[in-house]
Amino acid sequence: MTQRFGALEAGGTKFVCAVGSGPDDLSEEVRFPTTDPATTMARTIEFFTSAGPLDAVGIASFGPVELRRTSESFGFITTTPKPGWSNTDVAGPVAAALGVPVGFDTDVNGAALGEGRWGAAQGLDTFVYVTVGTGLGGGALVGGRIAHGLVHAEMGHVSVRRMPHDDFPGICPFHGDCFEGMAAGPAIAARWGRPATELADDELAEAVRIESFYIAAGLRNIVYTIAPQRIIVGGGVAKMPGLLGQLRRALRDTLARYPGLPEHDDDDFVVPPGLGDHAGIAGALVLAELALHGG
């Protein structure tokens, strides 16, 4: 009998809830804005309750989140800059309302799991999923397992070298000019006075050049610390026309042929998500399955 899982992709802008067993088997799916925690969580629980019996639920959430099961705050969103959401219990209310196992991880770790199972990282055991959008973050599988430690990885907050003559201060509320502060979508809006989707011609070309430089600078850190077999780059910024090709060239330039691996020169080293915008919700299904089986 096919198991029936609930999946929640909890984003800072919207929540996506679905029921199914894989990205091609989503019998129900709803999306609604992320407002205040009480209203948003109530809508989430109402959806899963009305969806009928579920075997487990997986939650892939924006963060930071608490992933240590020994902590009283396991399943919480913690010190997020999103107003009103700091120290919000996300997994607990879902588990209490439904009485089924609940898997919980970051949205990018979930997307990495989805891409590994059904998408652009099938057959690989060490890879990274990076999203560049309203925020910037990354999830890694190393040796087939999600990389967890004291907390989940915070790849969006690594330091990046500056483009020559660039005095933009960055938009990260914690670090200013970190990876996220220089390359996330709000950084583009701050530089140009409007979002990337409204840029055209010379302005768009310059924005793509700047983004390619800073995303490559961030990916260089990831290449040298995790040694991934592939990097998947998703998110709205990654869809800018011409960005992927420039990013690949910029990464090759900043790696400067060190350590000289031919794989780093291949176009399939940096790729878009195979699941498109469904990577996160697909990963939440994997989290549900892992929770059901004690993973």
Side-chain angles (χ1 to χ4, degrees):
M1 185 180 203
T2 301
Q3 291 166 328
R4 197 163 181 264
F5 297 124
L8 167 60
E9 183 181 6
T13 302
K14 67 180 181 296
F15 270 39
V16 182
C17 301
V19 172
S21 60
D24 296 324
D25 173 38
L26 296 176
S27 58
E28 302 176 54
E29 183 176 348
V30 298
R31 299 166 181 255
F32 46 86
T34 307
T35 57
D36 63 277
T39 302
T40 308
M41 292 307 302
R43 291 190 67 176
T44 300
I45 291 169
E46 180 183 10
F47 169 82
F48 287 128
T49 302
S50 64
L54 300 172
D55 294 291
V57 174
I59 301 173
S61 176
F62 74 95
V65 298
E66 177 59 80
L67 298 177
R68 294 172 293 183
R69 292 188 174 274
T70 56
S71 171
E72 293 181 355
S73 298
F74 170 76
F76 279 53
I77 294 171
T78 58
T79 55
T80 178
K82 184 168 180 61
W85 280 83
S86 290
N87 302 312
T88 295
D89 189 359
V90 176
V94 174
L98 300 177
V100 298
V102 174
F104 182 73
D105 215 309
T106 66
D107 48 2
V108 283
N109 280 343
L113 285 170
E115 288 292 325
R117 176 72 65 87
W118 295 290
Q122 292 180 79
L124 306 179
D125 67 6
T126 300
F127 60 91
V128 174
Y129 180 95
V130 174
T131 184
V132 190
T134 304
L136 196 157
L141 264 72
V142 178
R145 299 180 64 87
I146 296 177
H148 285 162
L150 186 61
V151 69
H152 50 84
E154 286 285 4
M155 299 180 202
H157 294 274
V158 299
S159 296
V160 290
R161 70 185 183 97
R162 280 187 166 272
M163 178 180 283
H165 312 300
D166 183 15
D167 60 0
F168 179 67
I171 51 85
C172 175
F174 299 100
H175 309 114
D177 60 353
C178 64
F179 191 7
E180 179 174 281
M182 301 302 285
I188 299 174
R191 284 182 185 272
W192 301 100
R194 55 193 183 283
T197 52
E198 297 181 11
L199 300 179
D201 303 326
D202 290 346
E203 288 183 334
L204 176 61
E206 180 64 4
V208 167
R209 186 179 75 89
I210 293 171
E211 282 297 303
S212 298
F213 178 93
Y214 283 113
I215 298 173
L219 295 188
R220 172 180 168 173
N221 291 323
I222 293 168
V223 168
Y224 287 151
T225 55
I226 296 178
Q229 297 159 307
R230 181 166 296 153
I231 300 174
I232 302 163
V233 182
V237 171
K239 297 176 182 178
M240 293 175 69
L243 186 138
L244 184 60
Q246 286 202 41
L247 170 58
R248 287 167 172 153
R249 292 190 292 273
L251 180 59
R252 291 167 189 150
D253 288 344
T254 194
L255 292 178
R257 300 197 174 276
Y258 182 85
L261 299 180
E263 289 85 351
H264 291 163
D265 291 331
D266 290 341
D267 282 350
D268 64 358
F269 182 64
V270 177
V271 299
L275 299 175
D277 294 333
H278 282 84
I281 201 71
L285 292 171
V286 180
L287 289 170
E289 180 184 321
L290 291 173
L292 180 64
H293 298 294

